Amino acid sequence: MEHLKRRVPIFGLSLRVYEKEGDFYGRQYPIDGGRLDILAIDDANNFYVIELKKDGGYDDAYCQTKRYIQWIKKNKATDAQKVVGIICLNSPTAKIIKQVQRDDEIRLIGYAISYTEIS
């Protein structure tokens, strides 16, 4: 989240958290049927629906992100704005990898956590 506030590229993109006067802030952005983790925009004002998952057991993350993309397209985006989904999770399953590979609106980002003893 700090990277988005400081405009440090994340996922290879220059994104910032969505902010518009009179509208909700882009973190835990409320939509019909849920809250998307982060709604961001790029320098061209395209929307990014970012779903953060704490591990890899979320095959439903694809359907959830797809619903959020459709909601943003219908309720926020103009015809000129793209809406892209990013699912960020640890150890994705083969099922979600296949779903995302067939969908040009969603990117899948894997992450790993490591621990180092300090003292």
Side-chain angles (χ1 to χ4, degrees):
M1 193 65 176
E2 273 305 307
H3 285 355
L4 290 172
K5 289 180 184 175
R6 292 184 290 136
R7 301 293 303 258
V8 173
I10 185 168
F11 311 128
L13 302 163
S14 177
L15 301 176
R16 64 188 180 280
V17 176
Y18 172 79
E19 284 187 87
K20 184 175 180 184
E21 190 173 324
D23 198 355
F24 295 103
Y25 182 65
R27 188 164 179 248
Q28 293 297 309
Y29 192 87
I31 67 167
D32 295 341
R35 289 182 181 269
L36 59 91
D37 291 331
I38 299 171
L39 180 60
I41 55 171
D42 65 12
D43 294 335
N45 266 350
N46 295 309
F47 284 100
Y48 288 79
V49 171
I50 303 172
E51 278 302 301
L52 307 171
K53 301 300 181 190
K54 64 183 176 186
D55 58 37
Y58 289 96
D59 284 334
D60 63 334
Y62 173 81
C63 294
Q64 177 187 26
T65 304
K66 197 68 175 174
R67 277 193 318 273
Y68 292 169
I69 288 169
Q70 296 308 317
W71 191 93
I72 294 297
K73 280 182 174 183
K74 181 180 176 185
N75 295 284
K76 302 298 293 175
T78 66
D79 290 340
Q81 291 173 300
K82 290 191 294 184
V83 182
V84 178
I86 297 175
I87 303 169
C88 184
L89 51 75
N90 184 2
S91 303
T93 64
K95 178 181 176 182
I96 197 166
I97 291 170
K98 285 181 185 178
Q99 288 173 310
V100 171
Q101 286 174 336
R102 292 188 301 253
D103 191 327
D104 61 355
E105 289 184 323
I106 299 180
R107 294 176 58 193
L108 184 61
I109 306 291
Y111 70 87
I113 298 174
S114 65
Y115 299 94
T116 304
E117 186 172 348
I118 296 172
S119 59

